[in-house]
Amino acid sequence: MTNPVRWGVLGAAKFAREHMAPAIHAAEGAELAALATSSAEKAVPFQSFAPGIMVHESYEALLADPSIDAVYIPLPNHLHVEWALKAMQAGKHVLVEKPATLQEAEFDQLIAARDAAGVLAAEAYMIVHHPQWQRVQELVQSGALGQLRHVSGRFSFDNRQDVDNIRNRPETGGGALRDIGVYVFGSARFVTGEEPVEVSAQIEWENGVDVLSNVQARFPGFLYTAYVSTRLQPYQEMLFHGDKGVLRLTAPFNPRVFGEARLELHQTSHAAGTGQVIAERFPLADHYKLQVEAFGRSLREGVPYACPLEFSRGTQAMMDRVFEVATDL
């Protein structure tokens, strides 16, 4: 890719500072060119690894910068649609943090704006770019597990002490489902290519946000259970269970933070009457960097993007359904 994508970041969010901005800076075919923040102090950590970065004092100024090709939006959840629309209207390609919207219907606005502007726009659902998830999709769809009968997921952490965190505030679109439910929902959809036909759920609420959600669903080919929480001991796991094998991911959602990316294929040798476990490890893969590179290939070379807005809309539809049908825990 001879013409690198010049990226701008809207806001000096902690997640952008610690993960996505360094990933953009490190990605092949990308250049971290601009940051929008009115705080010179907040710009300093970005300048430490990208000394040449241009700092704009407003989001509008960055969007008006003709040298910027693409914008990454890590703002609080309730601002995602507004600024994604403004960025696309300014002719910028857009990578917006998940959840891209708070309601499925809002995807209509994003898709219409994308098509009208002729830009690439996507939700920053990074896990589909990780080789462990591409491998799981390959194994499941090739029949390595036989007939898939059940999928389960769990993802939790505890942020109850951080009362000012946007994840603990209803007015900013907080809650466990919107923050991490997209992972246990979207990963099952990505691997299987199926959509839920029945959903039930139970939710525990605290100060207007969901802090523990337990979800059950029926997909055309399998049953599904999952829970997410922002009030439990940190843990994550995904399990795909078929009649001839089991696939287990031990750090499915933020490997290299929670642990090494590892998938285990459990199978039984009927001839020998014994079980075997085949493990595959992905210790070096950085899904944030891979996401930026995939975005750039789609933008510059027309390579199909693994997570278009239409895919993300399906995850939001499942989340909306959970909120609609849930009873209180």
Side-chain angles (χ1 to χ4, degrees):
M1 191 184 301
T2 58
N3 186 17
V5 178
R6 288 176 55 82
W7 285 85
V9 178
L10 288 192
K14 178 182 178 182
F15 186 81
R17 181 179 73 244
E18 295 182 353
H19 297 287
M20 278 300 296
I24 293 170
H25 183 65
E28 182 179 351
E31 180 182 349
L32 181 59
L35 170 71
T37 177
S38 59
S39 169
E41 181 181 356
K42 289 183 178 180
V44 170
F46 294 82
Q47 294 168 322
S48 68
F49 60 83
I53 193 170
M54 171 69 70
V55 179
H56 293 285
E57 292 187 353
S58 70
Y59 302 157
E60 291 86 355
L62 188 150
L63 295 184
D65 185 341
S67 72
I68 299 303
D69 302 310
V71 174
Y72 168 64
I73 303 176
L75 301 173
N77 294 345
H78 70 298
L79 298 176
H80 288 175
V81 171
E82 175 188 354
W83 286 98
L85 290 173
K86 289 181 177 179
M88 286 187 278
Q89 289 161 1
K92 309 302 184 187
H93 304 281
V94 172
L95 185 64
V96 58
E97 261 308 323
K98 50 79 193 160
T101 77
L102 299 182
Q103 298 289 334
E104 179 196 1
E106 292 178 306
F107 271 95
D108 291 341
Q109 301 175 59
L110 298 183
I111 292 170
R114 175 200 67 187
D115 294 346
V119 296
L120 175 60
E123 182 179 65
Y125 193 58
M126 73 291 186
I127 69 169
V128 299
H129 305 286
H130 197 290
Q132 72 170 340
W133 280 107
Q134 295 165 358
R135 179 64 171 148
V136 171
Q137 184 187 61
E138 175 189 9
L139 287 168
V140 170
Q141 295 193 7
S142 69
L145 305 185
Q147 182 181 0
L148 182 66
R149 299 300 306 275
H150 196 275
V151 176
S152 61
R154 45 199 62 86
F155 194 4
S156 62
F157 62 92
D158 190 343
N159 71 351
R160 76 187 73 200
Q161 300 301 323
D162 192 1
V163 295
D164 294 325
N165 191 297
I166 59 173
R167 295 165 182 83
N168 285 324
R169 294 163 53 190
E171 68 273 16
T172 56
L177 277 168
R178 287 182 171 130
D179 189 46
I180 55 179
V182 293
Y183 295 116
V184 294
F185 295 167
S187 59
R189 296 177 55 249
F190 174 73
V191 168
T192 66
E194 295 190 14
E195 303 292 346
V197 293
E198 292 180 9
V199 175
S200 61
Q202 303 80 40
I203 295 179
E204 180 179 323
W205 299 88
E206 184 180 301
N207 299 323
V209 298
D210 57 290
V211 297
L212 173 60
S213 297
N214 188 54
V215 179
Q216 308 83 38
R218 182 172 65 85
F219 286 71
F222 60 93
L223 297 177
Y224 172 91
T225 59
Y227 66 81
V228 295
S229 179
T230 52
R231 294 295 184 272
L232 294 178
Q233 169 74 19
Y235 188 72
Q236 56 186 262
E237 182 183 50
M238 284 293 295
L239 204 69
F240 296 81
H241 202 149
D243 60 2
K244 294 183 179 178
V246 176
L247 264 176
R248 176 175 178 257
L249 287 84
T250 59
F253 306 126
N254 59 348
R256 305 207 307 174
V257 175
F258 184 76
E260 182 184 64
R262 169 189 169 100
L263 66 86
E264 301 170 354
L265 176 58
H266 298 249
Q267 294 175 314
T268 299
S269 171
H270 295 290
T274 59
Q276 63 176 358
V277 179
I278 301 171
E280 298 183 24
R281 295 177 171 85
F282 308 85
L284 301 180
D286 180 345
H287 50 196
Y288 302 115
K289 177 174 174 286
L290 292 170
Q291 175 179 239
V292 174
E293 292 174 346
F295 193 95
R297 286 193 298 272
S298 293
L299 197 163
R300 296 298 194 219
E301 303 169 20
V303 176
Y305 195 66
C307 183
L309 291 176
E310 288 80 0
F311 172 83
S312 297
R313 178 175 185 157
T315 300
Q316 187 61 51
M318 185 173 177
M319 195 180 309
D320 287 356
R321 183 61 177 158
V322 168
F323 281 124
E324 179 184 344
V325 304
T327 58
D328 290 342
L329 272 173

